[in-house]
Amino acid sequence: MTGVEWRFRAVVVAHAVSAYGTYLNLIALSLFSYEVTGTALGVGVVMAVRLLSGVTAGLAAGALTARFTRRTVMVVTDLAQTLAMVVLALWASDTPLWVLLGAVAVLGAGNTFFNVALRSAVPVMVGQDGRARANGVLVTARSVATVLGFASAAPVIALGGFGVAFAVNAASFAVSAAAVLVLRPRTDDEPCDESGEERAGAGSSPVGGKGPRLRVAGLAGALLGMVALRGLDALASASHNVALPLAAHAAEPSDPAVFMTRFWSAWAVGTLLAHQVLKRRSHGASWGERAFAVGTCAMSFCFVAAFTGLPAPALMAAAVAAGFADGWTEIVYTSRLQAAPDRQRGRLFGLSATAEQSGFALGTMAAAAALEALPALAVVGAFHGAAVCGALALLLCTAGRRGTGRPGPADGGTHSQPHSHADDGRPPIGESHQSVGESHPSAGGNRPSTGGNHPSTGDNRPPIDHNRPPTGEDRSHHSPSGEEKGEHAHGTSTGASQLPGS
């Protein structure tokens, strides 16, 4: 076991502890907000402050992670959330409204900053080849923490009150901060020479100076489409989160909490299965925009089916399927954004966090209002129908781009030219040769040439002599040095991509 593996595993465990406290606190803080404000409107205002602070933090997260190291951002945000929860725990018996609003603002912003820093740091911690499996481990840990947090909220509050619940959450943030401080995982690449990146990009285009602009435009278009669909998916997810308590009361009026626990436990099993399946995939079609769009459609259909009055076994099967699709889309989406160069990842994940928080906030308010007049099935069906339409639009766009016959760099890393990786056993993630080359040069160093339109695949290689034809022999001649430089740039060994549980 390499140092990267055990260190990343320890970070995941600490993050799972923090996530457990967060999900326990979601229920505790909702009930506590009603106790402090005394009205449903007051609860809505507290939730709105938390979501708004998360949206604002998403806009600033890219600049913050560029100015400071991601490890620093993770530690500081965990400590800030620890302090906020300690204040609430000490004042639980008589909390002024302004203290409550300040605490939830810190929680909303801190959660966004931490997640952006962690998700954008994964390729640095485990290497580009290992990021999909690492994302699967993170998704699995978070899913288990979700179920445990929701299931233990009621007994913790009943036994110790809100003060104990807030203290548990504060301790979970402290554990996460301590783990990052002690382990000191590598979260940032070395600064890149911008002129060198431009030379590498220029060498990868057959059209001279126009190549980089086409490549950047295509990459941005594909990624922005995925980010937009992610925001639409968050809006749709808000509808079933708001409507599920109503379905629980209708199905089991005597004990709706048991219904909720069973449903989310089955959902967590599905996310675990998604990780087990995806880490065994051996071809690039699992990791692109189309896989994300198809997964979004499947997730929407499964959540809608859960509100059709299915018998208990069928309902649990629908929950497992929804969890599988949810885990699939999360892993594919995060892995695809992580294929971007290191300098862009912070901004991309900040934009993604803003889209997700905005979509969830808007969906929560709209779904709550709609449920006053419409049945749960109609509301959930309409919201998830919008997500399905967005996924179909993304599928049409990627299909149209594939039909133009453009090479991989122009389409932002879609799978117009799939490659077999049976020789090295590493699952491709669906990015183009050029996009991988910027963030992990070794990924391009051991692949054969796909044609004369791709004379360069790595940042660390010397500028290409364009008077010499880019033959497959030339590329294979340079592959060993490309792999060696790629490993040095990421500070990982060849075994670092094999994550725990893979």
Side-chain angles (χ1 to χ4, degrees):
M1 179 182 293
T2 66
V4 171
E5 287 178 330
W6 75 261
R7 185 173 286 110
F8 181 76
R9 177 180 291 185
V11 170
V12 169
V13 171
H15 178 58
V17 172
S18 173
Y20 162 77
T22 297
Y23 287 108
L24 183 153
N25 190 48
L26 282 178
I27 295 179
L29 199 58
S30 297
L31 298 173
F32 184 70
S33 299
Y34 184 77
E35 186 174 284
V36 171
T37 62
T39 63
L41 177 60
V43 176
V45 169
V46 173
M47 180 181 292
V49 169
R50 182 168 183 165
L51 291 173
L52 183 60
S53 64
V55 171
T56 306
L59 297 174
L64 189 68
T65 54
R67 183 175 179 84
F68 304 99
T69 65
R70 296 183 179 111
R71 184 171 61 236
T72 300
V73 173
M74 292 162 67
V75 171
V76 171
T77 53
D78 267 341
L79 291 178
Q81 293 179 91
T82 300
L83 180 60
M85 296 315 301
V86 167
V87 170
L88 283 185
L90 293 176
W91 286 10
S93 59
D94 187 18
T95 303
L97 180 59
W98 67 270
V99 171
L100 175 60
L101 294 178
V104 297
V106 172
L107 292 175
N111 183 64
T112 297
F113 283 136
F114 184 93
N115 284 326
V116 169
L118 176 62
R119 292 163 81 184
S120 58
V122 165
V124 185
M125 287 193 281
V126 302
Q128 282 285 353
D129 291 334
R131 70 186 191 274
R133 291 179 178 178
N135 292 327
V137 172
L138 282 169
V139 167
T140 300
R142 189 192 63 186
S143 301
V144 174
T146 301
V147 176
L148 294 178
F150 284 158
S152 62
V156 168
I157 295 172
L159 292 175
F162 293 114
V164 171
F166 296 152
V168 169
N169 194 18
S172 71
F173 287 128
V175 168
S176 178
V180 178
L181 275 174
V182 172
L183 296 171
R184 298 185 62 81
R186 185 168 180 241
T187 58
D188 297 84
D189 278 334
E190 296 296 330
C192 301
D193 178 25
E194 188 171 351
S195 61
E197 288 186 359
E198 291 175 357
R199 286 196 303 269
S204 64
S205 171
V207 200
K210 294 182 179 180
R213 288 195 296 271
L214 288 173
R215 176 185 169 280
V216 171
L219 182 63
L223 289 177
L224 287 177
M226 294 184 73
V227 170
L229 179 56
R230 188 69 173 175
L232 197 57
D233 172 41
L235 182 143
S237 296
S239 67
H240 66 249
N241 276 279
V242 174
L244 195 58
L246 302 180
H249 280 280
E252 296 189 27
S254 60
D255 203 350
V258 173
F259 177 93
M260 297 278 288
T261 301
R262 283 203 308 263
F263 184 91
W264 288 119
S265 298
W267 171 86
V269 170
T271 61
L272 176 62
L273 293 176
H275 168 51
Q276 296 300 317
V277 170
L278 276 177
K279 74 178 184 182
R280 290 175 171 80
R281 300 294 292 181
S282 59
H283 55 79
S286 302
W287 305 110
E289 294 90 343
R290 282 179 285 280
F292 174 60
V294 171
T296 301
C297 289
M299 179 175 57
S300 292
F301 287 135
C302 292
F303 273 119
V304 172
F307 289 86
T308 57
L310 297 173
L315 177 63
M316 293 301 101
V320 171
F324 183 90
D326 209 350
W328 176 289
T329 55
E330 172 74 13
I331 296 170
V332 170
Y333 174 78
T334 305
S335 300
R336 181 63 189 89
L337 264 61
Q338 287 167 348
D342 185 73
R343 292 182 306 155
Q344 297 179 6
R345 284 201 297 270
R347 293 194 296 270
L348 276 173
F349 279 109
L351 178 63
S352 175
T354 298
E356 293 175 49
Q357 295 274 4
S358 301
F360 192 81
L362 179 61
T364 298
M365 293 184 293
L371 285 169
E372 295 293 330
L374 297 172
L377 177 60
V379 174
V380 174
F383 277 69
H384 277 285
V388 170
C389 291
L392 293 177
L394 182 60
L395 281 173
L396 289 175
C397 290
T398 55
R401 189 172 64 246
R402 187 177 185 180
T404 61
R406 290 185 179 273
D411 65 8
T414 56
H415 313 291
S416 55
Q417 295 181 359
H419 299 273
S420 173
H421 287 257
D423 53 346
D424 59 7
R426 293 180 297 182
I429 314 298
E431 66 274 14
S432 66
H433 290 235
Q434 286 75 7
S435 63
V436 175
E438 289 185 5
S439 55
H440 190 64
S442 66
N446 60 355
R447 298 182 184 179
S449 172
T450 56
N453 292 333
H454 301 277
S456 173
T457 59
D459 291 351
N460 295 320
R461 300 178 185 178
I464 299 299
D465 183 2
H466 293 285
N467 294 323
R468 187 173 60 185
T471 63
E473 292 76 14
D474 289 338
R475 181 173 301 195
S476 62
H477 175 74
H478 291 289
S479 63
S481 62
E483 284 189 81
E484 182 180 355
K485 293 178 182 178
E487 293 171 1
H488 176 73
H490 283 272
T492 60
S493 66
T494 53
S497 62
Q498 302 301 320
L499 293 180
S502 60

